[in-house]
Amino acid sequence: TIMAKLDTALEEWVQSKIISPEQANQIRDFEAARPEKSWVLSGVFALGASIVGIGVISLIASNWSAIPNIGKIIGDFAILIVLASLTVRASVHKKPLQYEAWLLSFLISVLASIGLISQVYHTGGKLFQALLLWAAITFVPMFASRRFLVPFLWTAAFVSSLAYAATESNALEMIFNDNYAAIAMTLPLLCITLAAVTHRLSATKSHATAAFRIWALISGLLALAAAELREFVGHGLDYGMHSSTPAYVLMATSVVATLLNRQYRKLQKILLLSAM
């Protein structure tokens, strides 16, 4: 077991005079008091929560037309308040797994609330507008996550909504002019810039920064594929210089952020700048 291996290691450290017997006992007491992590229990908890959630959604969906609009809005905000309270409670009682589960549920419910309000009040709009609004509203709660999963999923939705907006938004469509290679080239540089921003905002190691760095790599690989596809399919098309302007602006920002980052060594900076 883990405790048995720890005891063996502690005995070796005491014999080698790396730590004192008193320190070894303190380490044993600390590790024994920590809650055990059980992936099986976590899986059962997640499965149970999913089944209950699906049941509630099915019940509401079957009686949706009979529920007045004000009742839908009140019920929706009541759910948001309950989820936010459970998230705060899990944080106060230092239950990291429950904290992340309730936080993710809260973020998903915020997106569902935007859709509900749009349906009730017939506001219209496109999917990318709802996703970008959701990303703006939930940035601070996402940034408060203490694990990697929530920022990774948030960043995935954010990057996807930006790519969608670049093809559907009238303002962005005038810039990119359906130049998918330019859009793909802009996204990884934007992720690098946002990774630098979140790194500056956080006093400690930020999972949001790590998520943006991972998506910079993923979207960068997709940008290479898009560039090759453009050469193969759209050879001879002249999109104009303006479609690449956002990428060059973000390129300059990324270069400055890389040079100012004290975590990178000289060789790492050279490799990153070469890649950009």
Side-chain angles (χ1 to χ4, degrees):
T1 63
I2 297 177
M3 289 303 297
K5 293 180 180 179
L6 178 63
D7 289 335
T8 302
L10 289 174
E11 290 176 3
E12 292 178 355
W13 296 342
V14 171
Q15 292 175 0
S16 302
K17 296 182 180 181
I18 298 175
I19 61 175
S20 65
E22 292 77 13
Q23 290 175 324
N25 291 330
Q26 290 176 352
I27 294 173
R28 286 192 186 95
D29 294 339
F30 176 78
E31 291 296 330
R34 293 179 66 179
E36 295 185 2
K37 296 180 180 179
S38 174
W39 293 107
V40 175
L41 182 61
S42 302
V44 172
F45 176 78
L47 179 62
S50 301
I51 292 174
V52 172
I54 292 172
V56 172
I57 292 173
S58 300
L59 180 63
I60 295 174
S62 61
N63 298 279
W64 186 252
S65 58
I67 302 174
N69 289 337
I70 187 64
K72 296 175 183 176
I73 298 297
I74 292 175
D76 176 67
F77 277 92
I79 292 173
L80 288 176
I81 292 172
V82 169
L83 290 175
S85 301
L86 290 171
T87 304
V88 173
R89 185 174 181 274
S91 176
V92 171
H93 290 280
K94 296 181 179 180
K95 296 180 178 179
L97 182 63
Q98 292 186 20
Y99 173 78
E100 296 297 323
W102 291 126
L103 178 60
L104 180 59
S105 300
F106 175 77
L107 297 184
I108 295 174
S109 297
V110 171
L111 181 59
S113 300
I114 294 173
L116 175 64
I117 293 172
S118 175
Q119 184 205 41
V120 169
Y121 293 103
H122 306 288
T123 57
K126 297 182 178 180
L127 178 59
F128 75 86
Q129 294 173 325
L131 288 173
L132 290 177
L133 175 61
W134 170 81
I137 294 173
T138 58
F139 175 75
V140 174
M142 177 279 298
F143 199 71
S145 175
R146 297 161 191 170
R147 297 197 178 189
F148 182 68
L149 178 62
V150 172
F152 181 80
L153 296 176
W154 184 94
T155 307
F158 177 66
V159 172
S160 301
S161 63
L162 285 178
Y164 184 28
T167 60
E168 293 292 330
S169 170
N170 293 331
L172 293 179
E173 195 173 7
M174 291 176 61
I175 298 174
F176 291 107
N177 194 26
D178 291 332
N179 186 347
Y180 298 108
I183 296 171
M185 186 170 61
T186 303
L187 292 177
L189 294 168
L190 178 63
C191 288
I192 294 172
T193 303
L194 292 175
V197 171
T198 53
H199 176 69
R200 293 286 180 180
L201 291 175
S202 178
T204 57
K205 181 180 178 181
S206 171
H207 292 294
T209 301
F212 277 120
R213 287 174 177 170
I214 290 294
W215 277 105
L217 176 61
I218 295 173
S219 54
L221 294 175
L222 293 175
L224 292 176
E228 292 296 329
L229 188 63
R230 174 190 168 183
E231 290 299 319
F232 180 73
V233 178
H235 186 70
L237 295 178
D238 184 14
Y239 291 100
M241 188 64 183
H242 63 278
S243 62
S244 300
T245 300
Y248 287 120
V249 172
L250 290 169
M251 173 84 71
T253 308
S254 302
V255 168
V256 173
T258 301
L259 292 174
L260 294 179
N261 193 324
R262 296 179 180 179
Q263 286 188 338
Y264 294 140
R265 298 178 181 179
K266 185 177 180 180
L267 179 59
Q268 290 175 315
K269 290 183 179 181
I270 293 173
L271 291 174
L272 286 171
L273 293 176
S274 300
M276 285 188 276

